[in-house]
Amino acid sequence: MRNISLYIAQRYLISKKGNTAVTFITWLAVFAMTTAVGAMFIILSVFSGLEDLNKEMIANLHEDISILPRRGKVLQNIKKVEALLKKNSDIKSFSRLIEEKVYVSYNDSGEIGYLRGVDSAYTITNPIDHKIFFGQYPSFIYKNEAVLGSGLDSRLAIPVGESAPSFTLMMPKVGSGIVRKQEDIFTKKEVYATGVFISNDQLDNYIIAPLELAQELLELSSDEAYQIVIKLKNDQMARKVKNILKKSLNDDYILKTKEEQNAAFWKMINTEKLMIYLIFSLVIFITTFNLAGAIIILQLDKKKQAKSLLSLGLSLRELRGVYFYTGVLIVSLGAVLGLSIGTFICYFQLTTGFFKANAVLPFPLRLSIYNYLIVSAVTFLLGILVSAVFSRVHKEYLSDK
């Protein structure tokens, strides 16, 4: 049997109202809901895209699992650890790594950077070579080649290429005694920049070079490294593989997954996401005041018709249902239009990159079913709540007073 309250509510919404102001206010409520829903969906999609971009950027900084020494900086019994890793079928690749602060000097300018010394297998563990946008990744034929983060290269204006002049890396020496000249303080190496990779804030000051260069600057032997980084066949297995390796290794080592190494980053991302949800939920809540106004104006405009419907046998509960369903229909129409417009704008941005975050980078976006569900849930929850509150007419409403 047809729901009479819903049927009348549909007629009220789509039919021409007797009062032009009522029509205007009703469709103003639809427009406000459409705008709020579309804006919330677009912002959440942009945030999802930024989250993916940051995850991708931070993936170049940390691998699936890292093995570090519990005491000191140098890993002990590194060959024994590597032999254990070779036996694990879940591990795709692993690589030795040294990371240390270094002074970068070129053409009377300089600043502090981070030298990451890696072996030739590092690009399997972390495909940083895919981020090279100018020049090329070091061939590892020569140990004095390096690639620079785009920020560092831009600030120091270091030339890139085979015929480019070298820049200097300076590492403080560990030792004691009287300092008579600069060579007593620093170990210096002349290095050639073979390429530049795209970097974010966390990779901005990084230099990636062969492991041998870092070992010589730090006066380490060829078998020494600060950590071993691991790439898994399935990165979802990181926690499980970590626990397996932890049981096999002794307490001389610390094992960390990518998430554990970036705990502050993930906390910041989740906090920002929560704040965005709360802010736009508040925006939609404020928008529902238009919905409340539309329901109240409709009640006043349809007062005579309400009396007639009650005389024909419509109950007071069903009359309340008419105004409730009218509010729900306004919310539903606004939600559908808002999500449709938001999806169109997001798809347009994904295909054309029309809106730019800077001169070269389009605003990142990701269309996610999760965002559809979040926006729909917030919209309908608040819309239904407001419709239920403001549709509760009383018998006094029908009096002529």
Side-chain angles (χ1 to χ4, degrees), residues 23-236:
T23 303
F24 174 77
I25 291 172
T26 300
W27 289 103
L28 177 63
V30 173
F31 174 77
M33 190 63 66
T34 299
T35 304
V37 169
M40 183 177 185
F41 178 76
I42 292 170
I43 293 299
L44 290 182
S45 297
V46 170
F47 187 84
S48 296
L50 289 171
E51 186 178 2
D52 289 344
L53 181 64
N54 279 311
K55 285 180 179 178
E56 184 180 352
M57 289 292 189
I58 211 165
N60 296 328
L61 189 62
H62 298 295
E63 289 68 32
D64 294 331
I65 300 175
S66 296
I67 302 177
L68 304 97
R70 187 170 295 277
R71 291 173 291 275
K73 287 189 173 182
V74 179
L75 278 174
Q76 302 298 318
N77 300 318
I78 193 167
K79 290 185 177 180
K80 177 183 177 182
V81 175
E82 289 178 334
L84 178 66
L85 297 180
K86 289 177 182 178
K87 297 177 181 178
N88 194 307
S89 59
D90 292 317
I91 295 176
K92 179 180 179 181
S93 176
F94 59 87
S95 177
R96 296 184 183 187
L97 187 147
I98 293 175
E99 185 170 304
E100 191 62 87
K101 284 184 178 181
V102 67
Y103 185 76
V104 187
S105 175
Y106 175 75
N107 199 21
D108 298 327
S109 297
E111 63 176 81
I112 301 296
Y114 288 89
L115 174 64
R116 175 172 284 195
V118 299
D119 58 26
S120 57
Y122 183 68
T123 52
I124 303 174
T125 306
N126 187 338
I128 191 70
D129 54 327
H130 293 170
K131 298 296 180 182
I132 304 293
F133 74 93
F134 183 73
Q136 60 186 6
Y137 193 72
S139 62
F140 282 80
I141 297 174
Y142 308 102
K143 59 187 175 183
N144 61 337
E145 296 178 337
V147 289
L148 311 175
S150 54
L152 182 65
D153 178 71
S154 176
R155 290 191 297 275
L156 295 181
I158 299 174
V160 175
E162 294 180 359
S163 59
S166 61
F167 63 96
T168 304
L169 294 182
M170 302 171 66
M171 187 77 69
K173 287 185 176 181
V174 178
S176 59
I178 299 174
V179 176
R180 301 183 183 277
K181 52 186 177 178
Q182 191 182 65
E183 286 74 13
D184 294 333
I185 306 174
F186 297 104
T187 301
K188 300 168 64 175
K189 293 290 180 182
E190 300 294 320
V191 183
Y192 294 89
T194 63
V196 179
F197 64 89
I198 302 172
S199 61
N200 62 351
D201 290 342
Q202 290 182 306
L203 287 170
D204 217 21
N205 291 336
Y206 269 76
I207 300 167
I208 297 177
L211 186 67
E212 292 80 5
L213 176 63
Q215 288 169 337
E216 288 187 4
L217 281 168
L218 291 163
E219 299 179 343
L220 300 175
S221 71
S222 58
D223 287 332
E224 291 182 308
Y226 282 4
Q227 57 182 292
I228 294 177
V229 292
I230 300 169
K231 175 70 174 177
L232 300 177
K233 294 177 181 177
N234 181 2
D235 58 3
Q236 302 299 318

Side-chain angles (χ1 to χ4, degrees), residues 319-349:
L319 181 61
R320 291 170 178 167
V322 170
Y323 302 123
F324 171 75
Y325 285 123
T326 301
V328 172
L329 289 172
I330 291 173
V331 171
S332 301
L333 185 58
V336 170
L337 290 175
L339 288 174
S340 299
I341 293 171
T343 301
F344 173 77
I345 293 174
C346 289
Y347 183 76
F348 174 78
Q349 173 66 9

